[in-house]
Amino acid sequence: MQRRASGRTVGGMRALLLQAPAVSLLLVWMLIPLGMTLWFSFQRYNLLNPMISGFAGWNNYTFLLTDPALWIAIGNTLLMVCWVLGITVIGGVLLAVLFHQEFFGRGIARLLVISPFFIMPTVSALVWKNMMMHPVNGIFAWLFKLAGLQPIDWFSSYPLTSIVIIVSWEWLPFALLILLTAIQSLDDDQIEAARMDGAGPLAIFWFITLPHLKRAISVVVMIEMIFLLTIFAEIFVTTSGGPGLASTTLAYLIYLRALLDFNIGIASAGGVIAIILANLVAIFLIRTVARNLET
């Protein structure tokens, strides 16, 4: 028993020694930026005025938490995330069911429908800004004119809605890929048995397909929400957070404070708040996914 115990101990120590370099590098990679952000969030640090320096205490956080722009940005962020998740999950489920069926040209159609996911955010934002939503030369304006309607200046009249449309177009293929992979693992015998019992397409979708996709939907929601909290390029290219603060998210507000106001202290405090918000969301989502995996 002693030899076995000592053997296990030696094996465990060897495993720890082999893992130590990678774990140490990962900790350094994570802790140094986090530590610097925390440090600067308690400092007076302005890039335009080096004379403003020293320990600021909680002043940066107090300024941010009493700034209405922060709460508007958080509200815009949550609103955008919820709308994009709803569109991509519902659209992804419907498209997954559609592309699971046999039809002519299905391979080419699948390739085309997932292609937006491989386009860089800056490029897709430029395409939507200049080719789709342009109030004079855009495709939407042309369609409105054909229908006898007045074209809409999307980025001035509906800035946050425009961002939601662009981001949903980018992330819908991702949801489709995950959900289509999940639906292909559904047992065909189960569906055939339901059809023999008289179940129609809607009943099969509601009672068989949708419960089968529950885990995949949870994974899609978790991954997308973490990335959607950091959306920046689409806003920078199209609306620049405006008009006013109508399309300013938390990530873009941090950019405004850091690189336009040159106030690194307040921007770092905003970064800490963003980290706390992202971790709260991640904890909630991980628990939700774990609960679905257990069922």
Side-chain angles (χ1 to χ4, degrees):
M1 295 294 294
Q2 292 181 353
R3 290 181 180 178
R4 290 182 181 178
S6 61
R8 290 177 182 175
T9 304
V10 172
M13 289 298 297
R14 288 176 179 174
L16 289 176
L17 289 175
L18 291 173
Q19 296 171 3
V23 174
S24 301
L25 180 61
L26 183 61
L27 287 175
V28 170
W29 187 270
M30 294 172 56
L31 293 179
I32 289 181
L34 178 61
M36 293 182 65
T37 303
L38 285 171
W39 169 257
F40 285 123
S41 70
F42 290 101
Q43 301 295 315
R44 295 185 182 91
Y45 185 15
N46 191 294
L47 295 176
L48 293 180
N49 192 349
M51 300 302 295
I52 301 177
S53 60
F55 183 69
W58 296 97
N59 291 339
N60 293 329
Y61 291 95
T62 303
F63 177 84
L64 261 184
L65 293 174
T66 55
D67 185 5
L70 174 67
W71 303 107
I72 294 174
I74 292 177
N76 289 338
T77 302
L78 297 177
L79 191 61
M80 181 194 70
V81 169
C82 291
W83 272 107
V84 173
L85 284 177
I87 293 172
T88 55
V89 170
I90 295 174
V93 170
L94 296 178
L95 288 175
V97 173
L98 174 62
F99 282 100
H100 184 60
Q101 310 300 319
E102 290 285 347
F103 59 87
F104 178 74
R106 186 177 66 170
I108 298 176
R110 285 181 176 180
L111 179 63
L112 292 175
V113 80
I114 67 173
S115 58
F117 186 64
F118 302 102
I119 300 176
M120 292 182 293
T122 306
V123 176
S124 62
L126 284 171
V127 168
W128 278 89
K129 180 180 180 180
N130 297 316
M131 296 181 62
M132 301 295 294
M133 293 182 171
H134 194 279
V136 177
N137 302 317
I139 293 179
F140 287 174
W142 177 69
L143 293 175
F144 272 78
K145 290 176 182 178
L146 283 181
L149 301 175
Q150 184 68 25
I152 299 174
D153 189 352
W154 288 90
F155 297 109
S156 296
S157 302
Y158 306 100
L160 192 60
T161 303
S162 304
I163 300 299
V164 168
I165 293 173
I166 296 172
V167 177
S168 299
W169 180 77
E170 294 173 349
W171 282 93
L172 182 59
F174 170 78
L176 171 61
L177 283 173
I178 301 298
L179 296 173
L180 182 58
T181 303
I183 204 172
Q184 286 176 341
S185 65
L186 183 61
D187 190 3
D188 292 334
D189 294 336
Q190 188 177 2
I191 297 178
E192 288 297 328
R195 287 175 179 168
M196 293 178 63
D197 290 338
L202 290 178
I204 292 174
F205 171 77
W206 187 260
F207 293 105
I208 298 178
T209 304
L210 201 56
H212 179 77
L213 294 176
K214 184 173 64 173
R215 296 182 179 181
I217 291 174
S218 300
V219 173
V220 169
V221 170
M222 181 182 68
I223 296 175
E224 281 195 16
M225 183 170 287
I226 293 173
F227 281 94
L228 291 176
L229 290 172
T230 62
I231 290 295
F232 174 80
E234 295 84 348
I235 301 172
F236 179 78
V237 172
T238 56
T239 65
S240 297
L245 297 172
S247 58
T248 298
T249 61
L250 185 55
Y252 197 80
L253 181 66
I254 294 171
Y255 160 77
L256 293 177
R257 296 292 178 261
L259 297 180
L260 293 185
D261 295 344
F262 299 100
N263 197 320
I264 303 302
I266 292 178
S268 298
V272 173
I273 294 174
I275 292 171
I276 295 173
L277 178 63
N279 278 274
L280 290 175
V281 171
I283 291 171
F284 170 76
L285 290 175
I286 289 172
R287 289 184 176 180
T288 303
V289 173
R291 195 181 302 117
N292 287 331
L293 292 177
E294 291 174 357
T295 57

